[in-house]
Amino acid sequence: MFVHVLGAAAGGGFPQWNCNCRMCHGVRTGSINAKARTQSSIVLSGDGVNWVLFNTSPDLLAQLAAFPTLQPGRGIRDTAIKAIVFMDSQIDHTTGLLMLREGCPHQIYCSDAVHEDLTTGFPLFKMLTHWNGGVNRHPIPLDGSAFTIPEIDGLAFTAIPVKGKAPPYSPHRHDAHVGDNIGVQVTDTYSGKTLFYAPGLGDLTDATRVLMSASDCLLVDGTFWSENEMESVGLGEKKAADMGHLPQSGEHGMLEVLRPMDRPRKILIHINNTNPILDEDSEQRKKLVDEGVEVAFDGMDITL
């Protein structure tokens, strides 16, 4: 299984265009040891030829240009992207679909809750019907059963609902629906190796812990270091939990969750621009290194 990180930042990217917090100012001026990152998205392949795209960030065109494998140039119009999986219906995970309108119809895999949001509150799917029929939507089973994607050879997918938040525009932002957010375990059917991907995790159910513990590699929510991070840097009073994310530090935080998991390689993704782990010389980053936890970056490659 080949995994390529197109973007590793949370919504707004790093640095965020209108933010002058210590982290954003530092990466712009070079006063901290940090890499810029675009908004989170990954691609997976079983054969290195045909790929499935997970989420479509607003930075997608730049991300595609930075990974030429996705444009093999075999014809006048061509792409190696054979399907798209949406993990949720957040703006920073879906808006880039509009940039792919020339390639419609796209094969879209998403939950019923995400499909509802993307046909009503943020009607991307309806808008795209004007381009060659728009999208062919395929429901994702959330009962623990595996599914496959035609043209993606050697990979099987198992999705589970995870705790999180529907996007702010959603009619049920404060009324959680099953499938608002999902985690996906991807299995290489030849090697048996597994990846668990969940860029949004508000809390962990027993089923989520089991799937994470049984995986060979984790790419999981690394949005915030602390529960009150936004308030601590003067950017509002919302807590990490209010936005559907489990912070790394503190009691029951992500580090505490990951610590007893011996099997998987542990990688954080969807890092907010305020998170001090982006500074590679920070005490928080050193803590991650001591815990054996990595931080995803744009262009990161993983082979399982």
Side-chain angles (χ1 to χ4, degrees):
M1 182 192 321
F2 303 98
V3 184
H4 182 84
V5 176
L6 294 173
F14 176 62
Q16 183 171 303
W17 67 277
N18 67 338
C19 185
N20 291 303
C21 71
R22 184 184 77 86
M23 299 302 299
C24 288
H25 177 75
V27 74
R28 284 195 191 99
T29 60
S31 59
I32 63 172
N33 181 16
K35 299 181 182 72
R37 289 164 167 83
T38 58
Q39 296 169 90
S40 73
S41 179
I42 67 170
V43 283
L44 299 178
S45 177
D47 57 11
V49 176
N50 298 311
W51 296 76
V52 56
L53 172 64
F54 281 74
N55 294 334
T56 57
S57 93
D59 299 317
L60 185 58
L61 293 185
Q63 293 169 344
L64 297 183
F67 190 47
T69 299
L70 298 179
Q71 178 45 272
R74 297 162 297 196
I76 295 177
R77 292 287 176 92
D78 192 24
T79 178
I81 298 171
K82 301 303 178 184
I84 299 168
V85 174
F86 283 131
M87 308 296 290
D88 52 52
S89 52
Q90 298 287 346
I91 291 287
D92 55 308
H93 285 164
T94 58
T95 308
L97 186 61
L98 291 172
M99 301 300 102
L100 302 183
R101 60 192 180 276
E102 298 89 352
C104 289
H106 293 289
Q107 307 305 315
I108 304 288
Y109 292 76
C110 66
S111 70
D112 290 343
V114 167
H115 181 257
E116 179 183 349
D117 277 343
L118 296 182
T119 53
T120 56
F122 184 34
L124 285 181
F125 293 168
K126 288 186 176 179
M127 293 164 64
L128 287 172
T129 58
H130 299 284
W131 281 269
N132 202 28
V135 307
N136 295 324
R137 186 259 172 155
H138 307 269
I140 290 180
L142 297 178
D143 58 1
S145 59
F147 66 98
T148 57
I149 297 176
E151 296 188 280
I152 303 298
D153 184 49
L155 299 182
F157 305 82
T158 303
I160 61 169
V162 297
K163 292 187 176 181
K165 290 278 190 180
Y169 71 79
S170 175
H172 58 270
R173 167 71 168 179
H174 303 291
D175 176 24
H177 284 37
V178 173
D180 282 337
N181 298 266
I182 63 171
V184 176
Q185 186 185 65
V186 186
T187 302
D188 186 307
T189 57
Y190 298 111
S191 70
K193 297 291 186 178
T194 54
L195 169 79
F196 181 78
Y197 179 53
L201 280 172
D203 199 357
L204 271 73
T205 64
D206 290 341
T208 305
R209 290 175 188 269
V210 168
L211 215 54
M212 288 173 63
S213 297
S215 298
D216 293 293
C217 183
L218 304 176
L219 269 173
V220 293
D221 191 338
T223 309
F224 296 113
W225 175 258
S226 60
E227 177 67 14
N228 66 341
E229 185 171 308
M230 297 295 283
E231 184 176 14
S232 70
V233 297
L235 291 173
E237 299 180 355
K238 286 187 176 180
K239 309 296 186 186
D242 296 334
M243 292 179 275
H245 298 288
L246 183 69
Q248 283 102 66
S249 64
E251 187 177 7
H252 308 305
M254 186 64 78
L255 288 182
E256 187 175 295
V257 168
L258 295 177
R259 192 171 295 127
M261 297 183 184
D262 296 328
R263 175 178 173 178
R265 179 180 175 184
K266 306 162 187 176
I267 308 171
L268 300 177
I269 195 168
H270 196 269
I271 319 298
N272 200 58
N273 62 288
T274 55
N275 194 329
I277 66 172
L278 290 167
D279 181 351
E280 297 181 25
D281 297 328
S282 67
E283 290 300 316
Q284 293 86 352
R285 186 62 167 264
K286 292 174 184 175
K287 175 67 172 174
L288 292 187
V289 172
D290 291 342
E291 295 272 357
V293 178
E294 302 172 58
V295 179
F297 54 89
D298 290 23
M300 185 180 198
D301 286 305
I302 303 162
T303 303
L304 295 171

